Amino acid sequence: MRKRIVSLVLIVVMLMVIFVGCSDKTNELDETQETENYTPVEVDNAEISNIENVVNINGKVAAKEEVSIIPKAMGTVTKVNVDLGDNVEVGTVLFNIEQQDIALTVDQASNGVDLAQKSVAQAENGLETARTNYELNKEKIENAQLNLERTRALYEEGAVSKAQLEQAELSASDKNLDVLLAQVTQAEIGYQQSLNQLKQAQISYEQAVNGLNNTVVEAPMKGVVSSLNVKQGQIVGSGQVAATIVDMDTVYVQISVVENVVNKIKEGQEAEISVPAVFDGYIKSTIGYISPTADPMNKLYTVRLYLDNKEYGIRPGMTGSVKLSLDSVDEAIVIKSDAVLDKDGKKIVYIVENDMAVEKEVETGLDTGELIEIISGINQGDSVIIEGQHYVSDGARVKVVRGE
């Protein structure tokens, strides 16, 4: 009997242990289920910051100035004075062209000027002689006409004979004066013709001298000889590019932009330039030129940004990259663009308050694709859900697993 009682007690104890164990497991499951009833999220605080929309556009480096040297004279190159890559100044003689034939032309033209000058001198003397002769005869005739009046008066009084009157009338005639005046006119024409001939001779001489000067080909600007296509003994002529000089002191990066970008930038605006072949990162520059019209072929607008290049490290043809700021807002509330969702025609974000997701309708401004300006709806310092926002709703329990 005692053994039975002990056995019953043991059974009761075992049942109680089993019951208590099951009860603990049930409680643990309930607590686990309650603990796991949340959405893990990542948050980021809304901050006051400057925001700008920046585009990065690739382009090419070019020299600020580039001049093609085309000889004006045709002939054989007698001497080349520079090499490819040489630095030259304004007036540096690049090469010479054979001068003998052109020098003869100059001498002939000079002789032509001398002859024309002598002809002008002769014509001028002839004109002066004709004018003097005309004036002298004109004066004689005027005196003769006065004498004719007196002779007529005396003839009427019977003081002189008719023969004397007729002689006075003959002396007072101006028929000879018309002939002399025609001689003056002819002399003036001859003088003007000689002047024209002198002018033509002088033009021919100047052209010959210019032709002689053109046999000495000089650099029109300071720079570097980037191409040299002539050598001694070679025949050159007009239309042939003999050399090219580039100004390497200043270069520019040229880019092309679309129409919705060109009106958001202006000359003098700061930008950043990268030339990976020369330096790492970006350096500051300014926009120096914006084309007023689009290229008819690609409908793009040309933009140039200039750089000092005193060391000649940046070379035309290199690839460059330009960062342009198109829009900017200072002191704005800024969050990640992905945090903003579209819901029923509204823009919303979720912030975390007391471990719960709270839906906020917001008004947005500038969007760079990475960051977005919030005009209204949330405040600085709010914890905005930036990961997991698609899986929560207003009032849902959340747990911050990453972020602020």
PDB file of all heavy atoms in Angstrom, residues 14-15 17 25 35 51 71 83 93 178 184 196 212 224 250 265 267 280 294 312 346 348 352:
ATOM      1  N   MET A  14       5.611  13.790 -11.997  1.00  0.00           N
ATOM      2  CA  MET A  14       6.059  13.730 -13.389  1.00  0.00           C
ATOM      3  C   MET A  14       5.074  14.461 -14.305  1.00  0.00           C
ATOM      4  O   MET A  14       5.472  15.182 -15.223  1.00  0.00           O
ATOM      5  CB  MET A  14       6.217  12.285 -13.841  1.00  0.00           C
ATOM      6  CG  MET A  14       7.392  11.567 -13.167  1.00  0.00           C
ATOM      7  SD  MET A  14       7.498   9.831 -13.619  1.00  0.00           S
ATOM      8  CE  MET A  14       7.839   9.987 -15.363  1.00  0.00           C
ATOM      9  N   LEU A  15       3.757  14.249 -14.061  1.00  0.00           N
ATOM     10  CA  LEU A  15       2.748  14.942 -14.862  1.00  0.00           C
ATOM     11  C   LEU A  15       2.850  16.456 -14.701  1.00  0.00           C
ATOM     12  O   LEU A  15       2.715  17.217 -15.677  1.00  0.00           O
ATOM     13  CB  LEU A  15       1.351  14.453 -14.485  1.00  0.00           C
ATOM     14  CG  LEU A  15       1.004  13.003 -14.908  1.00  0.00           C
ATOM     15  CD1 LEU A  15      -0.337  12.590 -14.321  1.00  0.00           C
ATOM     16  CD2 LEU A  15       0.969  12.902 -16.434  1.00  0.00           C
ATOM     17  N   VAL A  17       5.548  18.109 -13.928  1.00  0.00           N
ATOM     18  CA  VAL A  17       6.767  18.566 -14.627  1.00  0.00           C
ATOM     19  C   VAL A  17       6.512  18.696 -16.122  1.00  0.00           C
ATOM     20  O   VAL A  17       6.912  19.657 -16.775  1.00  0.00           O
ATOM     21  CB  VAL A  17       7.940  17.606 -14.345  1.00  0.00           C
ATOM     22  CG1 VAL A  17       9.114  17.940 -15.251  1.00  0.00           C
ATOM     23  CG2 VAL A  17       8.333  17.681 -12.892  1.00  0.00           C
ATOM     24  N   LYS A  25       7.162  26.084 -22.943  1.00  0.00           N
ATOM     25  CA  LYS A  25       7.403  26.116 -24.389  1.00  0.00           C
ATOM     26  C   LYS A  25       6.351  26.941 -25.101  1.00  0.00           C
ATOM     27  O   LYS A  25       6.623  27.673 -26.040  1.00  0.00           O
ATOM     28  CB  LYS A  25       7.426  24.697 -24.945  1.00  0.00           C
ATOM     29  CG  LYS A  25       8.663  23.918 -24.538  1.00  0.00           C
ATOM     30  CD  LYS A  25       8.654  22.536 -25.166  1.00  0.00           C
ATOM     31  CE  LYS A  25       9.928  21.769 -24.782  1.00  0.00           C
ATOM     32  NZ  LYS A  25       9.933  20.415 -25.365  1.00  0.00           N
ATOM     33  N   THR A  35       7.660  38.766 -30.754  1.00  0.00           N
ATOM     34  CA  THR A  35       8.901  39.490 -31.051  1.00  0.00           C
ATOM     35  C   THR A  35       9.127  39.593 -32.551  1.00  0.00           C
ATOM     36  O   THR A  35       9.586  40.618 -33.052  1.00  0.00           O
ATOM     37  CB  THR A  35      10.087  38.778 -30.402  1.00  0.00           C
ATOM     38  OG1 THR A  35       9.872  38.722 -28.999  1.00  0.00           O
ATOM     39  CG2 THR A  35      11.380  39.528 -30.667  1.00  0.00           C
ATOM     40  N   ILE A  51      22.022  71.186 -52.087  1.00  0.00           N
ATOM     41  CA  ILE A  51      21.792  70.122 -53.057  1.00  0.00           C
ATOM     42  C   ILE A  51      21.929  70.716 -54.458  1.00  0.00           C
ATOM     43  O   ILE A  51      21.507  71.849 -54.704  1.00  0.00           O
ATOM     44  CB  ILE A  51      20.392  69.484 -52.862  1.00  0.00           C
ATOM     45  CG1 ILE A  51      20.185  68.329 -53.854  1.00  0.00           C
ATOM     46  CG2 ILE A  51      19.298  70.495 -52.975  1.00  0.00           C
ATOM     47  CD1 ILE A  51      18.891  67.561 -53.609  1.00  0.00           C
ATOM     48  N   PRO A  71      51.816  78.677 -97.841  1.00  0.00           N
ATOM     49  CA  PRO A  71      52.674  79.648 -98.536  1.00  0.00           C
ATOM     50  C   PRO A  71      51.894  80.418 -99.594  1.00  0.00           C
ATOM     51  O   PRO A  71      51.051  79.862-100.299  1.00  0.00           O
ATOM     52  CB  PRO A  71      53.756  78.771 -99.182  1.00  0.00           C
ATOM     53  CG  PRO A  71      53.705  77.472 -98.455  1.00  0.00           C
ATOM     54  CD  PRO A  71      52.297  77.293 -98.005  1.00  0.00           C
ATOM     55  N   ASP A  83      62.114  72.571 -86.643  1.00  0.00           N
ATOM     56  CA  ASP A  83      61.801  71.148 -86.598  1.00  0.00           C
ATOM     57  C   ASP A  83      60.433  70.957 -85.958  1.00  0.00           C
ATOM     58  O   ASP A  83      59.915  71.847 -85.264  1.00  0.00           O
ATOM     59  CB  ASP A  83      62.858  70.387 -85.790  1.00  0.00           C
ATOM     60  CG  ASP A  83      64.213  70.360 -86.481  1.00  0.00           C
ATOM     61  OD1 ASP A  83      64.233  70.190 -87.713  1.00  0.00           O
ATOM     62  OD2 ASP A  83      65.243  70.542 -85.788  1.00  0.00           O
ATOM     63  N   VAL A  93      61.280  82.741 -88.721  1.00  0.00           N
ATOM     64  CA  VAL A  93      61.300  82.250 -90.104  1.00  0.00           C
ATOM     65  C   VAL A  93      61.215  80.725 -90.088  1.00  0.00           C
ATOM     66  O   VAL A  93      62.096  80.047 -89.555  1.00  0.00           O
ATOM     67  CB  VAL A  93      62.570  82.709 -90.844  1.00  0.00           C
ATOM     68  CG1 VAL A  93      62.582  82.128 -92.258  1.00  0.00           C
ATOM     69  CG2 VAL A  93      62.635  84.228 -90.891  1.00  0.00           C
ATOM     70  N   ASP A 178      41.402 129.900-128.338  1.00  0.00           N
ATOM     71  CA  ASP A 178      40.697 128.612-128.313  1.00  0.00           C
ATOM     72  C   ASP A 178      41.662 127.469-128.614  1.00  0.00           C
ATOM     73  O   ASP A 178      41.596 126.388-127.995  1.00  0.00           O
ATOM     74  CB  ASP A 178      39.554 128.617-129.330  1.00  0.00           C
ATOM     75  CG  ASP A 178      38.429 129.572-128.928  1.00  0.00           C
ATOM     76  OD1 ASP A 178      38.345 129.912-127.722  1.00  0.00           O
ATOM     77  OD2 ASP A 178      37.650 129.958-129.814  1.00  0.00           O
ATOM     78  N   VAL A 184      46.068 123.152-123.717  1.00  0.00           N
ATOM     79  CA  VAL A 184      46.112 122.963-122.252  1.00  0.00           C
ATOM     80  C   VAL A 184      45.322 121.718-121.852  1.00  0.00           C
ATOM     81  O   VAL A 184      45.771 120.895-121.045  1.00  0.00           O
ATOM     82  CB  VAL A 184      45.562 124.214-121.524  1.00  0.00           C
ATOM     83  CG1 VAL A 184      45.410 123.917-120.030  1.00  0.00           C
ATOM     84  CG2 VAL A 184      46.479 125.401-121.751  1.00  0.00           C
ATOM     85  N   ASN A 196      48.379 107.863-114.017  1.00  0.00           N
ATOM     86  CA  ASN A 196      47.783 106.527-113.957  1.00  0.00           C
ATOM     87  C   ASN A 196      48.818 105.447-114.247  1.00  0.00           C
ATOM     88  O   ASN A 196      48.832 104.386-113.600  1.00  0.00           O
ATOM     89  CB  ASN A 196      46.615 106.417-114.943  1.00  0.00           C
ATOM     90  CG  ASN A 196      45.432 107.295-114.547  1.00  0.00           C
ATOM     91  OD1 ASN A 196      45.280 107.642-113.362  1.00  0.00           O
ATOM     92  ND2 ASN A 196      44.596 107.660-115.513  1.00  0.00           N
ATOM     93  N   LEU A 212      58.251  88.776-103.263  1.00  0.00           N
ATOM     94  CA  LEU A 212      59.587  88.479-102.739  1.00  0.00           C
ATOM     95  C   LEU A 212      59.525  88.226-101.236  1.00  0.00           C
ATOM     96  O   LEU A 212      60.165  87.296-100.721  1.00  0.00           O
ATOM     97  CB  LEU A 212      60.532  89.638-103.044  1.00  0.00           C
ATOM     98  CG  LEU A 212      61.999  89.433-102.635  1.00  0.00           C
ATOM     99  CD1 LEU A 212      62.610  88.259-103.396  1.00  0.00           C
ATOM    100  CD2 LEU A 212      62.795  90.708-102.878  1.00  0.00           C
ATOM    101  N   VAL A 224      53.696  76.213 -80.860  1.00  0.00           N
ATOM    102  CA  VAL A 224      54.498  75.015 -81.094  1.00  0.00           C
ATOM    103  C   VAL A 224      54.218  74.504 -82.500  1.00  0.00           C
ATOM    104  O   VAL A 224      53.060  74.471 -82.944  1.00  0.00           O
ATOM    105  CB  VAL A 224      54.165  73.916 -80.065  1.00  0.00           C
ATOM    106  CG1 VAL A 224      54.967  72.653 -80.341  1.00  0.00           C
ATOM    107  CG2 VAL A 224      54.438  74.413 -78.649  1.00  0.00           C
ATOM    108  N   THR A 250      47.351  77.995 -73.618  1.00  0.00           N
ATOM    109  CA  THR A 250      45.967  77.846 -73.162  1.00  0.00           C
ATOM    110  C   THR A 250      45.283  76.796 -74.021  1.00  0.00           C
ATOM    111  O   THR A 250      45.395  76.827 -75.240  1.00  0.00           O
ATOM    112  CB  THR A 250      45.204  79.177 -73.270  1.00  0.00           C
ATOM    113  OG1 THR A 250      45.886  80.189 -72.524  1.00  0.00           O
ATOM    114  CG2 THR A 250      43.791  79.035 -72.726  1.00  0.00           C
ATOM    115  N   ILE A 265      23.006  76.774 -68.078  1.00  0.00           N
ATOM    116  CA  ILE A 265      24.390  77.158 -67.829  1.00  0.00           C
ATOM    117  C   ILE A 265      24.646  78.519 -68.459  1.00  0.00           C
ATOM    118  O   ILE A 265      23.861  78.980 -69.283  1.00  0.00           O
ATOM    119  CB  ILE A 265      25.383  76.117 -68.390  1.00  0.00           C
ATOM    120  CG1 ILE A 265      25.187  75.941 -69.894  1.00  0.00           C
ATOM    121  CG2 ILE A 265      25.227  74.784 -67.671  1.00  0.00           C
ATOM    122  CD1 ILE A 265      26.164  74.988 -70.544  1.00  0.00           C
ATOM    123  N   GLU A 267      28.020  81.584 -69.484  1.00  0.00           N
ATOM    124  CA  GLU A 267      29.439  81.899 -69.558  1.00  0.00           C
ATOM    125  C   GLU A 267      29.899  82.505 -68.232  1.00  0.00           C
ATOM    126  O   GLU A 267      29.205  83.329 -67.644  1.00  0.00           O
ATOM    127  CB  GLU A 267      29.713  82.861 -70.716  1.00  0.00           C
ATOM    128  CG  GLU A 267      29.501  82.229 -72.083  1.00  0.00           C
ATOM    129  CD  GLU A 267      29.869  83.171 -73.219  1.00  0.00           C
ATOM    130  OE1 GLU A 267      30.406  84.257 -72.931  1.00  0.00           O
ATOM    131  OE2 GLU A 267      29.616  82.819 -74.390  1.00  0.00           O
ATOM    132  N   ASP A 280      44.963  63.372 -61.699  1.00  0.00           N
ATOM    133  CA  ASP A 280      43.856  62.681 -61.046  1.00  0.00           C
ATOM    134  C   ASP A 280      42.851  63.703 -60.523  1.00  0.00           C
ATOM    135  O   ASP A 280      43.209  64.828 -60.159  1.00  0.00           O
ATOM    136  CB  ASP A 280      44.363  61.817 -59.888  1.00  0.00           C
ATOM    137  CG  ASP A 280      45.284  60.698 -60.364  1.00  0.00           C
ATOM    138  OD1 ASP A 280      45.080  60.213 -61.489  1.00  0.00           O
ATOM    139  OD2 ASP A 280      46.213  60.331 -59.613  1.00  0.00           O
ATOM    140  N   ALA A 294      22.744  75.677 -82.436  1.00  0.00           N
ATOM    141  CA  ALA A 294      23.045  74.246 -82.393  1.00  0.00           C
ATOM    142  C   ALA A 294      23.738  73.808 -83.674  1.00  0.00           C
ATOM    143  O   ALA A 294      23.553  74.404 -84.742  1.00  0.00           O
ATOM    144  CB  ALA A 294      21.763  73.442 -82.192  1.00  0.00           C
ATOM    145  N   TYR A 312      52.621  72.709 -70.822  1.00  0.00           N
ATOM    146  CA  TYR A 312      52.320  71.943 -72.038  1.00  0.00           C
ATOM    147  C   TYR A 312      52.019  70.471 -71.750  1.00  0.00           C
ATOM    148  O   TYR A 312      52.194  69.610 -72.610  1.00  0.00           O
ATOM    149  CB  TYR A 312      53.472  72.029 -73.045  1.00  0.00           C
ATOM    150  CG  TYR A 312      53.701  73.408 -73.618  1.00  0.00           C
ATOM    151  CD1 TYR A 312      54.778  73.670 -74.438  1.00  0.00           C
ATOM    152  CD2 TYR A 312      52.830  74.447 -73.330  1.00  0.00           C
ATOM    153  CE1 TYR A 312      54.988  74.954 -74.966  1.00  0.00           C
ATOM    154  CE2 TYR A 312      53.030  75.727 -73.836  1.00  0.00           C
ATOM    155  CZ  TYR A 312      54.108  75.971 -74.656  1.00  0.00           C
ATOM    156  OH  TYR A 312      54.300  77.226 -75.173  1.00  0.00           O
ATOM    157  N   LYS A 346      -0.050  60.896 -54.606  1.00  0.00           N
ATOM    158  CA  LYS A 346       0.671  61.720 -53.636  1.00  0.00           C
ATOM    159  C   LYS A 346       2.079  61.172 -53.463  1.00  0.00           C
ATOM    160  O   LYS A 346       2.340  60.003 -53.726  1.00  0.00           O
ATOM    161  CB  LYS A 346      -0.055  61.708 -52.284  1.00  0.00           C
ATOM    162  CG  LYS A 346      -1.481  62.230 -52.320  1.00  0.00           C
ATOM    163  CD  LYS A 346      -2.100  62.243 -50.941  1.00  0.00           C
ATOM    164  CE  LYS A 346      -2.243  60.823 -50.372  1.00  0.00           C
ATOM    165  NZ  LYS A 346      -2.908  60.822 -49.049  1.00  0.00           N
ATOM    166  N   ILE A 348       4.846  60.277 -50.718  1.00  0.00           N
ATOM    167  CA  ILE A 348       4.902  60.011 -49.282  1.00  0.00           C
ATOM    168  C   ILE A 348       6.271  59.462 -48.907  1.00  0.00           C
ATOM    169  O   ILE A 348       7.023  58.956 -49.745  1.00  0.00           O
ATOM    170  CB  ILE A 348       3.825  58.998 -48.850  1.00  0.00           C
ATOM    171  CG1 ILE A 348       4.090  57.631 -49.505  1.00  0.00           C
ATOM    172  CG2 ILE A 348       2.424  59.505 -49.173  1.00  0.00           C
ATOM    173  CD1 ILE A 348       3.321  56.501 -48.866  1.00  0.00           C
ATOM    174  N   VAL A 352      10.206  56.834 -38.735  1.00  0.00           N
ATOM    175  CA  VAL A 352      10.072  55.935 -37.582  1.00  0.00           C
ATOM    176  C   VAL A 352       9.837  56.764 -36.330  1.00  0.00           C
ATOM    177  O   VAL A 352      10.624  57.656 -35.995  1.00  0.00           O
ATOM    178  CB  VAL A 352      11.324  55.061 -37.423  1.00  0.00           C
ATOM    179  CG1 VAL A 352      11.205  54.210 -36.152  1.00  0.00           C
ATOM    180  CG2 VAL A 352      11.501  54.167 -38.636  1.00  0.00           C
TER     181      VAL A 352
END
